[in-house]
Amino acid sequence: MGIASRMIPTEDASARKREIEEKLNQEQETLSFIRENLEKSDQLTKGMVSILSSFESRLMQLENSIIPVHKQTENLQRLQENVDKTLSCLDHVISYYHVAKDTDRIIREGPSGRLDEYLACIARIQKAVEYFQDNNPDSPELNTVKARFEKGKELLEAEFRSLLTRYSKPVPPILILDAITVDEDIELQEEVVLEHLPEAVLQDIICISGWLVEYGRNQDFMNVYFQIRSSQLDRSIKGLKEHFRKNSASSGVLYSPAVQTKRKDTPTKKAPKRPGKDDVLDIEIDSYIHCISAFVKLAQSEYALLTEIIPEHHQKKTFDSLIQEALDNLMLEGDNIVSAARRAIMRHDYSAVLTIFPILRHLKMNKSDFDSTLQGTAASTKNKLPTLITSMETIGAKALEEFADSIKNDPDKEYNMPKDGTVHELTSNAILFLQQLLDFHETAGAMLASQVLGDTYNIPLDPRETSSTSSSTSDFNKRLLSSYICKVLGNLQLNLLSKSKVYEDSALSAIFLHNNYNYILKSLEKSELIQLVTVTQRKAESSYRELIKQQIDMYQRSWLKVLEHLTDRNMPVFQPGAKLKDKERQVIKDKFKGFNDGLEELCKIQKGWAIPDKEQRDSIRQSQKKIVSDAYRAFLQRCANISFTKNPEKYHKYRPEEVEEMIEKLFDTSA
């Protein structure tokens, strides 16, 4: 066992030794392989280095050959480019020498119908001018192209004028009427557009204007523009005026934007025309009012057109010049209306002065539009309308004052007094004037206020109404007009009292005053005048009723002489069965005779008198019938059983019913 154990490790060592030797042999083989490969790699590297060295040598030889060729080629290309540029510049310069010839035909024929081509030629000419000025200012070609440029500019200006003249037409009157008419029944009314020039023509004009502004170096075309457009504006307004007159004369239903009043019972269209002087006057008023509205609308449209054509910094001045002719004509016509009103005042035709009231109202209504339209124009232009308004207010206030004085100072002429005691012409004229004034009460009130006439009527101002609010101003104007109307009515009453004294018969005087007072009251009540009067005279209505009652009482006194014969005065005391003395019988006879004669005389006289108001006439008759017939019946009853004459029918001529019939025929010439 001992030997065996020693042998086992020896075998293991031997096996391990063999294993190590085998591995060593393998490593040696691997090392040999690597050495062989390294040797091959070195050989390859040496070969590659040799190749690269050879390539580098050849490349350097090639570069040394190519670079001189490249530089020579580059120089040749640069020379070619310079030649091309030189030729191009020569062509460009030579073209300037040919501009005059090349553009001659187009310039001579003008820009009409080919504006773009024409402007392109002008641009070529302008560049030629600039070239010669910069490079050859002494060249004869410079004068040639300058002359051609000026000719081209002249033809452009001529084309500008020609287009404006040819296509600028007055706006048709119907189109203007549509533009200024406002239909209150249509909430969203489409605005009427006034087209002054066709779109294509407008674009040509804008194009020419732009060129002239930039290159024309003068403002002549702006003068041409405002002269042509100013003429068309004036012609448009005159055409409207003529159209309005013709149509108003034939139909009388053209719409007027201002003559219609704000009262609900007033129609917006004028009634069928009545021939005569007043009709012609109404047409003139409506025509002028339409022209005022038309001017504002047309001027606004002209300004909109002008802003597209005229440079911004020249627009206001050009617009100012453009509207002058039409505006001056309107203002002249307004001055003529004021002059006509002044002449009417001189001949005391105050109703004729009322023509300025609708015009003045319309001018004031449109003043804000006027001011807005004329914004930026000269002060003299903007002041024309306010000056006209002031003139109209002054002459209107003067007419109102002189009318009030004329009512007060109307002479008491017997030949001018109505024989039948009816309403005096002065009364009807005064009431008619006030009623016409009512249609323009706001204008009239402002007119009085503008002339500081408040002190004339002693109107106290409520402290709360001293503010500058429109409502307080309107209230003050209303009170001012109310006081004026009361003044006129007061003057009328004083004059009527004076006129009534012309009548020798106090009863006729009473009838005269009664008729006039009643006419005044009824006229006030039928119109809105009573509402204005009561603003400052709250008891005006009751005052007139009291005056009417006083005159009725005064008239009834004329019957007292007749009724006196029916009283018991001087009547004898009768004893039943006693015989009357001759003197007593004569007293009764005289009473009958006095009554009969008085009744016949009064009925004969008063039958020719007049009480136009049927209600008043019937009332006075009934009242008088009752008074007389009751007294007459009582008298007959007292004398019924008295024998005072052998011929009772000689004295007892009328039965009570006949007396009533006679009184029923009073104030009736046809009875």
Side-chain angles (χ1 to χ4, degrees), residues 620-637:
I620 292 174
R621 283 174 178 170
Q622 292 300 322
S623 176
Q624 205 56 46
K625 276 197 303 185
K626 186 174 188 332
I627 294 171
V628 176
S629 63
D630 287 353
Y632 188 49
R633 282 189 170 90
F635 177 74
L636 291 178
Q637 190 173 1

Side-chain angles (χ1 to χ4, degrees), residues 421-436:
T422 190
V423 177
H424 196 279
E425 184 181 9
L426 179 68
T427 302
S428 58
N429 288 343
I431 294 299
L432 177 61
F433 182 87
L434 294 179
Q435 287 175 336
Q436 291 173 323

